[in-house]
């Protein structure tokens, strides 16, 4: 089986030829074998990281949002081969050492989820935003959260939760 | 909703990318950020035989200002433009347009060249490129050519790019002194494709008299269009409220958008007047 | 704490959703599974001349391709007996189209392959030769002379006519000082939960049991339906509910795919997985709501309602699905609303069109009826120059008039205080102050409007629900119920009831609603019935268990306690819990409950673009008794959010050829956090005397009055031209159109 890196010196990866793709998610190597057309979302889900949800597969709902090199991406809008060599983070890696992330606790406290299907995507979207823009204002956060859809809560509780998590993450600063 | 099969290869240089595309034939496509192409693949509206991945080609990045002119590399992400504070004055419309593209994760990954090549008639960058009179540098294995924006778009989701040809850079000519630009669009919901969009570029002399005006409209025709009558009406005039109103009226009168299930032609026409009017009033107020 | 759980906002255990371990049906995999892909009709109405599967069958990874010729002649049955007539059976849907396709999206064949990508590739190669037929693309043309027939053999496009009457309508109209009449239209839209549907079926050849994962809402009925359609006994079919990514009425009804996936698992002897994709979802999963009403209201000059007449055309789509004629019946039952009418006459018709079949979506029928009635009441108020609030005040049924019945129409209001509820809403939002603000804002050039709606909501539909409480030797109690969780927290609520009634801590109780094997019967999660039906059944089961334990120790039931796996009585004697057996409860509910609610909205309009912004939105509902106020508030707020989307943004559009125009999420605009205000929720608690817990339904209520309130607010903001607000959604384009004609 060819490896995705081989293209640098070798041939095309043929359609529906499975290739080894070196993905690193949550600091773990994932042993992905998939054809070039496999989306990153499917590659993650087929390799045990099923917390990444598929709500539309066309980039509209945001349920499949993960972090690539620290920034939120829609994993349905990327090929797995394109993520090779990048550092991926999924909802499974959000809690560090068994302790929930401030966002996870805030989502619980503010009723920011009901059916839970959009939750992984919202958590990763917000995690990426707060990492890149820790001091983002309410309107900016609201604008960014409009990227994803939630059908159960209306989204207001999600905004409240992200603002609360931001306060906690900023600690004494804000 | 899974992409159809295609062969794939990641290019390590622009030269290689162009060679690969040439070798793969006319059904090959380039993929960069994939934010326009991936939905088309998911819906199987696009069926490339080969994908040449140019997403990591550093040489296609970069935003450069030189002698007043601006060059934007094909792989510049929308978020990069959005966060470029030096894109002000004549380039402000570019920054504003980038900030309105899709949503945050889309803007982090989507590219300038990708948006142009996708050529959605309601997309922001084609409209702002039209108003700013961009020239696109297109390269293929057999050479390089310059394509003025006015000749680039051929129809909805169609450009004059040949198979194997890639936009590598957009060049914006140095504006005359006192040029400023703004961008306005309307969509019923955050992040959606606009029902209509307007980019307005004005150069005024010290007395506030408009030396020249460029107004481009999106969402009203198969490709971005200029509002020539409105531009002509502004030129030589001081940008008063009534001059702005008249230009907005002319911009709307000069286009004939067709309707669809989501917005009628008459409504889009009204939006043009509103958006051009708003753009001009911002240019008046922000002086 | 071992008691006092009911009425407390106990926190929900939602860890699995936060850390990604929640398991939806797409996350279930079985050894050796194959993937099904449904081939759907690309045309709205056509005769099938030929289906050629040879090329698809020859593709790599393809295991089987089936068409109607491969499956038994069978149709999906109707679930709710109240909506069933022998006539409607003519229009039931077969799992795969036989001879004729009747809507874009109708299943024509199924491809099974080793991989979902390969299945989708092969499905594109199934070659169907269609001979296209004329299309019924609209509800009004469905009944005109010479119109094409959706089901030619039935000879009509009318599925059912529901006549409903009360009092002497002619006499009441004859006495009227004012009569107003209009046509009003509610548009096609639907639930669109974030998780699409999905199923996984596996036959265990050892036990002979077929297991189906991905069930929801009405598992027991779906099992019965599959049993009769597949011709195997009920006890050999097991339906398992996984985590469910939203239901709102559309998920969990038996659909063609339920049969097809189960059939293929039996036929091929391997597990079959099917996950609906989003484009399929928009044409395959039930649509809802589209109807047009011709409504006439009679009143006196001092604003007393006398009577109304309504004729309505309610879209059923191309087939009658498992919810029967509810799309026509439910609006009829909700047209009178909470008002004192002397008389009315209603005739709603369910009509067929060549479009995706219609089922029920959160607040079914009541949302539509509330929109048309409340819009007309505002028009009447304008005609009479009365404050719309005052018009409603004068006509709401007073508590002293309860129980109030519109017999012979099957509508009876048992309990509540409608005027008090209405005033409560006005007080909470500060209606008088809001009116002053409106003046000020208008004076400064803003276009703002206030609108409200009052309604009654049918809920807690029977016939019954059962519960079984099984004590375990470790001192824990497992409560088996037949309702379903759709993601809003029913496990927490039922756990609270069980813990309080058993007198044990919450963490000693677990609710099991997942599996048809664990409880013989159940009707499911619809019509805001879970807390009322299953809640009371759980309470009865707990009482039964206590009584049984007390009998063993020969003491009154009130004296025993469940402690550490033992039953203990005050003098200290104990017996092991395991010896007591299990508690069983059954709660029968022959009549549904109507409950009261109201909504108020403040909107502003950008006159240039036509964009409507909701500045404030409040919903009030009388839930009888709130078992868990916080979870209830969240459900009401979520339902109201969906109602705002319905009122302003969402529409399932079709063209004249029956081609759907909203098949991707970018074209079906659900509101995001940017479009929604913080929803204000007011919970009224006027206990229902008809059940021991005193509860009424609440899960859908935030929806019911919302589109009406927003429509009235937009009309108010538009001023005189607001009289033309007759249809939804109020998209910027439509609002501009109304302004343009002014």
């Amino acid at each position: 089986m060819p490896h995705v890196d081989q293209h640098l010196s070798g041939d095309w990866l043929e359609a529906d030829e499975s290739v080894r793709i070196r993905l690193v998610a949550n600091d773990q190597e994932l042993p992905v074998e998939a054809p070039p057309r496999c989306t990153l979302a499917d590659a993650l889900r087929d390799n045990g990281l099923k917390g990444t949800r598929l709500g539309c597969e066309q980039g509209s709902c945001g349920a499949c949002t993960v972090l690539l090199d620290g920034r939120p991406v829609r994993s349905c809008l990327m090929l797995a081969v394109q993520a090779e060599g990048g550092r991926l983070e999924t909802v499974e890696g959000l809690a560090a050492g068994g302790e929930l992330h401030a966002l996870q606790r805030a989502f619980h406290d503010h009723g920011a989820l009901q059916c839970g299907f959009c939750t992984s995507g919202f958590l990763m979207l917000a995690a990426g935003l707060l990492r890149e823009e820790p001091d983002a204002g309410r309107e900016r956060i609201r604008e960014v959260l409009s990227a994803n859809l939630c059908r159960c809560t209306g989204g207001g509780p999600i905004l409240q939760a992200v603002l609360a998590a931001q306060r906690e993450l900023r600690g004494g600063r804000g | 909703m899974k992409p159809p099969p295609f062969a794939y290869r990641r290019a390590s240089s622009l030269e290689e990318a162009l060679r690969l595309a040439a070798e793969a034939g006319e059904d090959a496509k380039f993929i960069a950020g994939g934010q326009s192409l991936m939905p088309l693949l998911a819906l199987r509206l696009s069926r490339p035989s080969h994908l040449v991945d140019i997403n990591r080609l550093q040489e296609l990045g970069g935003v450069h200002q030189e002698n007043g002119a601006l060059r934007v590399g094909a792989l510049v992400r929308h978020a990069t433009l959005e966060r470029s504070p030096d894109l002000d004055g004549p380039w402000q419309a570019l920054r504003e347009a980038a900030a309105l593209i899709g949503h945050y994760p889309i803007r982090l990954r989507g590219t300038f060249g990708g948006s142009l090549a996708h050529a959605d008639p309601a997309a922001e960058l084609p409209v702002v490129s039209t108003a700013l009179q961009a020239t696109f540098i297109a390269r293929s294995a057999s050479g390089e050519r310059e394509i003025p924006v006015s000749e680039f778009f051929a129809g909805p989701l169609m450009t004059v790019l040949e198979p194997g040809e890639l936009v590598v850079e957009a060049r914006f000519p140095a504006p005359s002194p006192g040029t400023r630009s703004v961008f306005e669009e309307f969509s019923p919901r955050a992040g959606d494709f606009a029902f209509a969009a307007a980019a307005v570029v004005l150069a005024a002399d010290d007395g506030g008299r408009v030396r020249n005006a460029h107004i481009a409209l999106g969402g009203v025709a198969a490709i971005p269009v200029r509002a020539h009558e409105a531009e002509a009406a502004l030129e030589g005039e001081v940008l008063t409220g009534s001059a702005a109103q008249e230009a907005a009226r002319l911009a709307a009168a000069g286009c004939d958008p067709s309707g669809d299930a989501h917005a009628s032609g008459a409504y889009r026409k009204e939006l043009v007047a509103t958006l051009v009017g708003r753009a001009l009033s911002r240019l008046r107020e922000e002086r | 704490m071992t008691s006092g759980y009911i009425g407390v906002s106990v926190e929900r255990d939602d860890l699995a959703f936060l850390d990604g371990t929640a398991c939806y049906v797409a996350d279930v995999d079985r050894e050796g599974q194959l993937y099904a892909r449904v081939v759907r009709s690309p045309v709205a109405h056509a005769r099938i001349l030929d289906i050629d599967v040879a090329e698809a069958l020859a593709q790599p990874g393809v295991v089987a391709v089936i068409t109607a010729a491969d499956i038994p002649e069978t149709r999906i049955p109707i679930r709710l007996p109240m909506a069933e007539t022998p006539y409607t059976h003519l229009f039931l849907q077969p799992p795969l189209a036989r001879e004729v396709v009747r809507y874009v999206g109708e299943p024509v064949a199924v491809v099974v392959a080793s991989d979902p990508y390969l299945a989708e590739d092969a499905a594109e190669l199934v070659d169907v030769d269609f001979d296209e037929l004329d299309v019924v693309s609209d509800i009004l043309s469905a009944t005109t002379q010479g119109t094409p027939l959706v089901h030619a053999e039935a000879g009509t496009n009318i599925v059912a006519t529901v006549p409903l009457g009360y009092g002497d309508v002619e006499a009441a109209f004859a006495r009227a000082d004012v009569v107003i009449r209009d046509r009003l239209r509610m548009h096609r839209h639907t639930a669109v939960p974030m998780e699409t549907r999905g199923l996984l079926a596996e036959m265990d050849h050892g036990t002979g049991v077929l297991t189906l994962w991905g069930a929801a809402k009405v598992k027991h009925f779906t099992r019965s339906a599959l049993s009769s359609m597949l011709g195997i006994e009920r006890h050999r079919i097991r339906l398992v509910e996984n985590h469910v990514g939203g239901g709102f009425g559309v998920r969990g009804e038996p659909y063609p795919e339920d049969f097809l996936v189960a059939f293929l698992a039996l036929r091929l002897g391997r597990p079959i997985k099917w996950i609906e994709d989003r484009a399929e979802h928009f044409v395959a999963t039930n649509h809802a709501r589209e109807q047009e009403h011709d409504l006439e209201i009679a009143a006196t000059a001092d604003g007393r309602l006398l009577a109304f007449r309504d004729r309505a055309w309610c879209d059923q789509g191309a087939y009658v699905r498992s919810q029967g004629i509810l799309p026509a019946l439910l609006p009829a039952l909700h047209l009178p609303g909470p008002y004192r009418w002397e008389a009315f006459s209603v005739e709603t018709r369910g009509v067929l069109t060549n479009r995706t079949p219609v089922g029920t979506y959160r607040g079914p029928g009541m949302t539509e009826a509330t929109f048309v009635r409340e819009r007309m009441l505002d028009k009447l108020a304008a005609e009479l120059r009365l404050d719309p609030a005052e018009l409603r005040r004068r006509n709401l049924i007073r508590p002293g008039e309860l129980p109030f019945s519109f017999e012979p129409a099957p509508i009876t209001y048992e309990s509540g205080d409608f005027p008090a509820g209405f005033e409560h809403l006005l007080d909470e939002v500060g209606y008088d102050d809001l009116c002053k603000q409106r003046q000020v804002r208008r004076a400064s050039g803003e276009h703002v409007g206030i609108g409200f709606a009052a309604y009654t909501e049918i809920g807690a539909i029977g016939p019954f629900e059962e519960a079984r409480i099984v004590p375990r030797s470790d001192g824990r109690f497992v409560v088996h119920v037949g309702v379903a969780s759709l993601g809003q927290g029913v496990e927490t609520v039922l756990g609270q009831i069980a813990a309080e009634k058993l007198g044990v801590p919450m963490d000693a109780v677990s609710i099991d609603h997942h599996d048809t094997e664990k409880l013989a019967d159940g009707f499911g999660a619809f019509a805001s019935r879970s807390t009322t039906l299953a809640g009371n059944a759980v309470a009865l089961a707990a009482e039964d268990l206590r009584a049984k334990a007390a009998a063993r120790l020969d003491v009154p039931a009130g004296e025993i306690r469940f402690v550490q796996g033992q039953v203990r009585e005050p003098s200290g004697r104990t017996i092991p819990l395991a010896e007591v057996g299990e508690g069983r409860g059954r709660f029968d509910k022959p009549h549904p409950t109507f409950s009261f609610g109201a909504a108020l909205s403040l909107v502003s309009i950008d006159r240039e673009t036509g964009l409507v912004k909701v500045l404030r939105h409040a919903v009030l509902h009388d839930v009888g008794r709130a078992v868990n106020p916080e979870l209830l508030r969240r459900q009401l707020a979520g339902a109201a959010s969906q109602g705002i989307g319905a009122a302003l943004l969402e529409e399932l559009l079709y063209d004249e050829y029956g081609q759907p125009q909203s098949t991707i999420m970018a074209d079906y605009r659900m509101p995001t956090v940017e479009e929604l205000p913080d929803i204000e929720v007011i919970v009224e608690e006027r206990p229902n005397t008809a059940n021991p817990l005193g509860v009424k339904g609440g899960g859908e209520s935030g929806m019911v009055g919302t589109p009406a309130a927003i429509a009235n607010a937009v009309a108010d903001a538009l001023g005189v031209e607001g009289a033309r607000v007759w249809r939804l959604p109020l998209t910027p384009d439509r609002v501009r159109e109304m302004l343009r004609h002014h």
Side-chain angles (χ1 to χ4, degrees), chain C residues 330-398:
Chain C
L330 286 172
L333 292 176
H334 288 88
L335 275 161
Y339 307 105
R340 196 184 312 101
W341 302 94
E342 288 183 13
F344 60 75
S345 99
V346 174
E347 187 184 273
T348 58
R349 292 165 166 192
V351 302
L352 296 162
T353 60
N354 287 111
R355 298 180 296 182
T356 296
V358 168
T360 55
Y361 164 40
R362 209 172 201 174
M366 52 200 88
T367 304
E368 300 91 307
T370 300
F371 166 67
V372 300
R373 180 192 61 244
E374 295 296 312
R375 193 72 272 285
M376 286 296 273
L377 290 188
D378 266 27
K379 295 178 74 145
L380 178 64
E383 178 88 18
L384 297 172
R385 298 179 185 282
L386 260 181
D387 178 348
E390 185 54 33
L391 175 67
R392 287 169 176 85
R393 277 189 190 112
R394 290 182 191 177
N395 291 285
L396 287 168
I397 294 167
R398 286 187 288 271

Side-chain angles (χ1 to χ4, degrees), chain A residues 29-76:
Chain A
E29 287 248 358
L30 280 193
V32 174
E33 288 174 14
R37 64 165 154 164
C38 180
T39 64
L40 175 60
D42 278 336
L44 292 171
R45 291 181 47 78
D46 290 346
N47 286 276
L49 295 176
K50 292 184 174 179
T52 298
R53 317 289 178 194
L54 283 175
C56 74
E57 298 184 275
Q58 59 197 32
S60 289
C61 79
C64 68
T65 305
V66 301
L67 300 186
L68 172 64
D69 297 326
R71 293 170 145 196
V73 296
R74 292 178 170 173
S75 59
C76 75

Side-chain angles (χ1 to χ4, degrees), chain B residues 13-37:
Chain B
S13 70
L14 177 57
E15 294 313 315
E16 188 193 31
L18 300 174
R19 183 176 54 74
L20 290 172
E23 139 193 335
E26 63 179 25
D27 292 328
K29 268 188 174 295
F30 296 102
I31 183 169
Q35 303 301 285
S36 299
L37 182 58

Side-chain angles (χ1 to χ4, degrees), chain A residues 16 37-39 42 45 50-51 53 55-58 60-61 91-92 100 104 107-111 113-117 119 123 138 142-143 145-146 149 151-156 159-160, chain C residues 11-12 14-15 17-20 22 24 26-27 29 117-118 121 190-192 194-195 244-246 248 277-278 361 486-488 634 638 641-642 650 664-666 670 672-674 676 678:
Chain A
D16 286 332
R37 64 165 154 164
C38 180
T39 64
D42 278 336
R45 291 181 47 78
K50 292 184 174 179
R53 317 289 178 194
C56 74
E57 298 184 275
Q58 59 197 32
S60 289
C61 79
V91 69
E92 288 89 349
L100 290 183
Q104 290 168 311
F107 269 53
H108 170 80
D109 293 344
H110 289 80
L113 62 135
Q114 288 179 29
C115 83
F117 199 78
T119 307
L123 285 169
R138 182 192 169 93
R142 192 173 151 122
E143 191 261 316
L145 292 179
S146 77
L149 292 170
R151 195 57 161 163
C152 297
T153 70
L159 176 61
Q160 298 307 325
Chain C
E11 287 191 19
R12 182 177 168 219
D14 50 16
L15 181 62
F17 302 115
L18 295 165
D19 67 8
Y24 301 88
D27 307 329
D29 288 309
Y117 286 69
L118 298 177
D121 295 348
T190 192
V192 193
M194 294 311 299
E195 183 201 14
V244 167
F248 317 119
D277 76 26
R278 188 54 74 179
Y361 164 40
L486 298 162
Q488 280 72 37
R634 291 174 189 170
S641 300
Q642 292 181 353
E650 300 170 28
I664 56 174
M665 274 182 158
M670 297 191 283
T672 75
V673 66
E674 284 273 46
L676 294 167
D678 285 333

Side-chain angles (χ1 to χ4, degrees), chain C residues 15 17 73 125 136 152 204 226 244 297 307 466 483 528 607 640 690:
Chain C
L15 181 62
F17 302 115
E73 285 238 21
L125 300 171
V136 181
D204 182 326
L226 288 175
V244 167
I297 286 188
E466 291 180 325
V483 295
S528 301
R607 284 185 78 96

Side-chain angles (χ1 to χ4, degrees), chain B residues 51-67:
Chain B
L51 280 189
V52 179
D53 190 348
I54 56 168
N55 194 48
R56 300 186 187 195
L57 300 183
Q58 302 281 348
E59 59 206 278
L60 296 181
V63 181
H64 303 283
Q65 292 197 51
E66 260 170 41
N67 303 324

